[in-house]
Structures are given as structure tokens and as C-alpha cells.
Amino acid sequence: MINKSKVSKILVVSLTNIGDVIMTIPVLEVLCAEFSSARSDLICGRAPIALFQGAPEIGKLFAYDKKWGVVQKWFWVREIA
């Protein structure tokens, strides 16, 4: 059993296709309701990230581009860590 009061951060990783990202919205709503004291951050593709900008239930948005090279991905991973 998870002690919900001890969960302080949640990272939701979504896909890059807009349909898949839209399917993430109900998951986020449930997570935010169940873990109301936790901050929920989201990783998704660059194009659909606009769907979540300004959403009160999202703490930070991290855009990911699968076309990045190794160096860009390395810096991105360090940013979200």
C-alpha cells in the first residue's frame, strides 16, 4: 500500500503523438485527486505540450524531442534530474 501523504513528487511521462497525450489527461486528473499534496510534473513531446500550458494541476512541463542528438538528450536529462 502506498502512503499517499509521503508522496511529494510525481512525474508523468507521456508520448509524443497528440492522441496519446490527450489520453494522459484523465490519468493526470486521477493522480492529482489521489495525491493532492504532491507536485505533478509532465514530460511530453514538443508539439502537444501546448495542451498542458497553464494547467493548474501541472507543476513543471518538460518538452522532449526524439530527434535530439545524444548531447542534447544528455543536457535535457540533467535538467529534469
Side-chain angles (χ1 to χ4, degrees):
M1 215 45 202
I2 295 174
N3 185 345
K4 294 178 185 179
S5 64
K6 292 190 176 197
V7 177
S8 62
K9 296 179 190 175
I10 298 171
L11 179 62
V12 177
V13 180
S14 186
L15 301 173
T16 57
N17 298 328
I18 196 156
D20 296 326
V21 173
I22 289 172
M23 297 297 288
T24 304
I25 295 171
V27 173
L28 283 169
E29 291 172 348
V30 170
L31 282 173
C32 291
E34 290 293 316
F35 299 92
S36 58
S37 62
R39 185 184 84 199
S40 298
D41 298 336
L42 175 72
I43 294 174
C44 72
R46 297 181 69 77
I49 204 161
L51 292 172
F52 298 101
Q53 290 176 334
E57 61 272 0
I58 305 291
K60 288 186 180 180
L61 291 169
F62 298 101
Y64 177 77
D65 190 339
K66 58 186 172 187
K67 295 178 184 175
W68 285 338
V70 173
V71 174
Q72 289 172 306
K73 289 178 183 176
W74 172 254
F75 283 113
W76 181 80
V77 168
R78 290 193 52 162
E79 177 190 345
I80 66 169

